[in-house]
Amino acid sequence: MATAAFPELDSAKESILVENLLQWSLANGLVIYPPDFKSYQPVSAPVTLFPTPFPRVAFKDADDVQLLFNELYAKVSSDLEFLSEIIDDLAKFDSGFTGKLWEIFLKAKKIGISQPLSLGIFRSDYMVNEIEGLKPQIKQIEFNTVSVSFGGLSTKVGELHRYLNNHGDYDIGEGTDKYYDEKDLPISKSITKLSEGLADGNYYYNDCVSNTKTVVLVVVQHKERNVFDQRLLEYALLTKHGVKSIRLTLSEIDSKTYIDPQTKKLYIKSTNDEVSVVYFRSGYAPNDFQNEQDWENRLTLETSKAIKAPTLLTQLVGAKKIQQILTDEVILKKFLKEKGESNFQQLLDTFVSIYPLDDSERGKQAKKLAFEKPGNFVL
Amino acid sequence: MATAAFPELDSAKESILVENLLQWSLANGLVIYPPDFKSYQPVSAPVTLFPTPFPRVAFKDADDVQLLFNELYAKVSSDLEFLSEIIDDLAKFDSGFTGKLWEIFLKAKKIGISQPLSLGIFRSDYMVNEIEGLKPQIKQIEFNTVSVSFGGLSTKVGELHRYLNNHGDYDIGEGTDKYYDEKDLPISKSITKLSEGLADGNYYYNDCVSNTKTVVLVVVQHKERNVFDQRLLEYALLTKHGVKSIRLTLSEIDSKTYIDPQTKKLYIKSTNDEVSVVYFRSGYAPNDFQNEQDWENRLTLETSKAIKAPTLLTQLVGAKKIQQILTDEVILKKFLKEKGESNFQQLLDTFVSIYPLDDSERGKQAKKLAFEKPGNFVL
């Protein structure tokens, strides 16, 4: 990598950079709807002018540890006994949302959950901890298990920065090499990988047969602005795997889908398309549920035979409280008993102290610390 | 193809079709800037909801005859003696524009034209003449030789309609096959082919060496709205051929480029990039020249060593008057003497009567006809 973190451009070159960046974004789907949008008019998605430098070793660590995290959260999602106690407690603190999700899960369990499989589409967020003389370390901020966004656009951001570099928009002098070495500008495979995940869901739903008659139902927010992030995955799913997707809001579920009472299979009413995977890009915030019918619809989906991405349990294990509990080495080892020391160390290295915000002694200490040195903490 | 020209959708399905069409367009660069635009905010380009049916045989004819037309216009462009008389005349009728272009060409000729090669990027427009019982025929409306637009977006329009068909948005019932057979939805190779044309220009400029140090200069209109149509060609040029392009308006030429007085090579000032091809997406309308300096800049480009797409002469042969004269079989045969009868027939079949709009007898007749039956004519 070049010596300075960013190329220093004069204002004329910076104007050209901005124009080239915006037009590439608009020509390549790196877009988002603005507030109060018209359906034919997006804006370019906000991005940095230059690629953000990130230590290669920390990048590699994040890449390496992801499968372990996926496995950990998948195992936690399956341990109902362990979860019941924690979430029962949590539900009391946040009865309007976590409590409701838990209540719907318990109802679904009573009715009967007809699909044993669940699809996890996860995103682990980090900041880098750089201390002079030490190897830079990734520290986990949060682990997301529902409606994980920007997997579509992030591939495009990498492509954008690479285009700008190839096009010479970062060049600071004549006759010089490109400012960035292309190998320092990785392009995320997120579009390919996440659409593969959805295609895998479809495949396992159909007993390991590549069925392109069944469809993926994308549950979206009303007036969703981040449509294109989702669309890029849907287009890859259709183009590369031949699997169609249908978009409905949570409140449209009862009027636009139906369930076969015998098989519990979920269908789209207008086309009789059978749904293999329900991909939630909604249902993660209290506002996504406008009324009791919306909760009822969530229950309908949970008890259907379609594979959920994610199930209510997988969504619930994304709670910060679970993240906190998993920083306990003893608990970690309980879930990953067959793993070796180096694997535990990989995970432990990404942890920082997480304080509860309850009335416990440690919760009280947390509040004190947060008020004294707010700059030291992530809420 | 299915029996009806278009699928008949109920209003619910039509709404979904419109939403899917708009979002695909916005995610895939099928966009344009609206009037008074902000650089970060395009709109979807206007397209038809359904593919427009076009007789296969006529489509094939248009495809087949294009190379002949290209050759014909290339030969006419090179016959200065033939052109001089016609354009001398024409220049008197339209002294403000055609006259000016001709004057600049004559000046350039006097100074010396240092580049013998010219790049033609053409588009031939047709309407179909359908008479019951006869084979549908293409009839040429006009032949474009400068700033040919929509080569970028037209590939995208084909991809859009194919996506909508694959996604089932044209399906009229359940369990049916796709409304259109995929082979009836051709996708134009225009992005690939036109960017190849520009890359070829770069190659021949460099004496048949694949040089990726020289750049293509795209001369654009001030506040161009059809940017993305052009960008799609530029991106393909960079991605597939490694050739960079720079965009400047005609009025920026004197301040942002310079010419080596010895070699007549054209360079971009800020980067010292050598220009191999000047691709005009401006300079075809009187408004594109705001003042004498703009005309001076056009002259500078014409006398530079860069290959022009097109040269002034090639631009001038796109005049309707030339198109009219070329419908004369004797003149046609003069330019394509080595061709066979079937080739002439191919060209002649696309011609309709073209009337002059001058004070000749035929011109007077034309005005009379146009006033009597305006619906029968294309102006």
Side-chain angles (χ1 to χ4, degrees), chain B residues 13-28:
Chain B
K13 281 192 177 171
E14 194 174 284
S15 302
I16 293 171
L17 169 64
V18 171
E19 181 175 282
N20 288 345
L21 176 148
L22 290 174
Q23 292 180 356
W24 191 96
S25 296
L26 301 176
N28 288 279

Side-chain angles (χ1 to χ4, degrees), chain B residues 116-345:
Chain B
L117 299 175
S118 162
L119 172 62
I121 292 183
F122 301 149
R123 194 191 70 217
S124 188
D125 297 342
Y126 306 98
M127 291 176 87
V128 183
N129 194 27
E130 292 196 271
I131 298 169
E132 223 187 293
L134 295 181
K135 176 191 148 187
Q137 279 194 318
I138 47 166
K139 294 297 176 187
Q140 191 176 49
I141 303 303
E142 65 175 358
F143 193 85
N144 303 276
T145 62
V146 63
S147 189
V148 172
S149 59
F150 297 119
L153 297 188
S154 66
T155 296
K156 296 282 174 177
V157 174
E159 289 173 352
L160 166 67
H161 287 140
R162 197 176 273 193
Y163 158 75
L164 292 169
N165 193 51
N166 284 342
H167 191 257
D169 294 324
Y170 295 141
D171 293 358
I172 41 177
E174 57 173 287
T176 56
D177 288 332
K178 295 295 161 217
Y179 191 84
Y180 300 102
D181 192 331
E182 190 156 287
K183 76 173 173 6
D184 290 329
L185 299 177
I187 293 176
S188 167
K189 297 190 183 78
S190 45
I191 291 179
T192 308
K193 291 292 175 186
L194 297 187
S195 59
E196 255 175 43
L198 293 168
D200 279 352
N202 181 69
Y203 177 78
Y204 285 106
Y205 176 87
N206 291 298
D207 300 321
C208 299
V209 172
S210 292
N211 184 340
T212 58
K213 295 276 177 195
T214 50
V215 303
V216 170
L217 170 61
V218 185
V219 181
V220 298
Q221 290 182 319
H222 184 58
K223 297 195 177 172
E224 171 64 73
R225 290 175 49 210
N226 199 18
V227 168
F228 304 99
D229 180 45
Q230 303 161 0
R231 286 293 201 175
L232 293 169
L233 306 182
E234 291 182 62
Y235 299 148
L237 182 65
L238 184 66
T239 312
K240 297 193 182 144
H241 307 280
V243 177
K244 218 169 91 171
S245 54
I246 305 287
R247 298 164 66 84
L248 292 178
T249 63
L250 200 51
S251 61
E252 289 177 314
I253 296 302
D254 56 316
S255 61
K256 301 201 168 167
T257 71
Y258 68 93
I259 285 190
D260 179 305
Q262 249 70 52
T263 61
K264 293 286 181 179
K265 285 180 177 179
L266 178 69
Y267 294 90
I268 305 295
K269 251 184 208 165
S270 60
T271 56
N272 284 329
D273 282 329
E274 181 181 345
V275 176
S276 57
V277 176
V278 181
Y279 174 35
F280 286 97
R281 289 298 294 254
S282 174
Y284 60 91
N287 261 349
D288 292 343
F289 297 86
Q290 294 289 327
N291 50 44
E292 272 310 305
Q293 183 62 53
D294 288 349
W295 286 106
E296 200 56 44
N297 291 348
R298 183 66 188 81
L299 177 62
T300 302
L301 295 175
E302 193 71 8
T303 53
S304 80
K305 193 168 177 282
I307 291 179
K308 267 69 66 182
T311 61
L312 282 167
L313 270 193
T314 307
Q315 176 171 349
L316 281 161
V317 301
K320 292 278 200 307
K321 182 70 194 176
I322 306 277
Q323 191 190 348
Q324 181 218 324
I325 289 168
L326 291 177
T327 61
D328 183 329
E329 206 172 329
V330 178
I331 295 176
L332 200 63
K333 289 191 174 170
K334 162 180 146 63
F335 283 106
L336 298 174
K337 24 184 170 319
E338 78 288 5
K339 299 286 170 190
E341 247 344 283
S342 71
N343 281 150
F344 290 115
Q345 205 50 52

Side-chain angles (χ1 to χ4, degrees), chain A residues 26 53 85 123 138 161 225 229 231 263 280 285 287 359 378:
Chain A
L26 301 177
E85 203 179 328
R123 194 191 70 216
I138 46 165
H161 286 140
R225 290 176 49 210
D229 180 46
R231 285 294 201 175
T263 62
F280 286 98
N287 261 350
D359 294 330
V378 175

Side-chain angles (χ1 to χ4, degrees), chain A residues 171-178, chain B residues 213 270-273:
Chain A
D171 292 359
I172 41 176
E174 54 173 290
T176 56
D177 289 332
K178 295 293 160 219
Chain B
K213 295 276 177 195
S270 60
T271 56
N272 284 329
D273 282 329

Side-chain angles (χ1 to χ4, degrees), chain B residues 1-18:
Chain B
M1 192 180 290
T3 44
F6 305 110
E8 281 183 30
L9 305 178
D10 61 34
S11 67
K13 281 192 177 171
E14 194 174 284
S15 302
I16 293 171
L17 169 64
V18 171

